[in-house]
Amino acid sequence: MSSATHGYIFANWKMYLNQEESVALATSWRAAPRPDGYQLAVFPSALAFTSVAEALAGSSIRVGAQNVYWVDQGGYTGEVSAAMFAAAGAQYALIGHSERRHQFHETNHEVRQKLEAALASGLTPLLCVGETAAERSAGRTWEVIETQLRAAYHNLVWPAKTDLLIAYEPVWAISRGTERWGADCPPGEAEVIHTRISDWLQGIMSGVAPQVLFGGSVRAANLGRYLAEPHLAGVLVGAASTQPDRWSALLANITPRAL
Ligand code: 13P
């Protein structure tokens, strides 16, 4: 992250918007005021990716893939490769989102292959980690996160010019839409996990500066409390990023800060 950047405000549109809605929202973002010093990026559906990238071309808002496949090209019905997203203008890729892990049974091994493919294609991966409510109640939060981190990064040589981005997204905090927010993760609890993730990664890879974003029901009402935590490098917003009024309210709550 450059010294002029205060943090990351990333928007995962999941499967909330069709193509027309995605282009309309991206076009409105292009024209709207943006917080100084924050890197903004949007992760549209694979269907809407190209038209959203076109709508945002030449602006400072970047686009990323919600998911990638690791083989560049071939007989893999329904998949889109990291290489194809890169060729279409993606700069980032979400890797191992909890909805992929839990609803589509993506394994840690597959997550690793996707991470490597994203890097090989020149994308900056944003690895998502986090525990379920049951794992949290069983006191297994760190064990789960460490397993996810180890599978993704063990023996991986991190490219010097690529940001090392991780999103801590406790599964129990993720919403099912703006009418069904998840539980609010106490910012202090997120801060402890963020620090631990960062320290752990610096322990296994030399010379890296991990940037850990938080995700899980982030919206205008709680954003300020998350961004106030020193080890919180930004946020990955789901549902609240898919409605124009909620998104502008969220951006209006951001005050520039130094990391
Ligand atoms: P919500 O903000 O809808 O809880 O989604 C968080 C998330 O999963 C972002 O990737």
Side-chain angles (χ1 to χ4, degrees), residues 95 111-119 125 127 152-153 156 158:
I95 305 290
V111 167
R112 170 65 175 246
Q113 285 175 282
K114 291 181 178 201
L115 185 83
E116 289 186 8
L119 286 174
L127 179 82
Y153 298 113
L156 190 67
W158 198 256

Side-chain angles (χ1 to χ4, degrees), residues 49 53 63-65 67-69 72 80-93 117-124:
F49 182 87
V63 282
N67 178 38
V68 298
Y69 197 62
D72 285 353
V80 182
S81 69
M84 288 173 174
F85 275 112
Q91 277 169 294
Y92 298 105
L119 286 174
S121 301
L123 300 175
T124 299

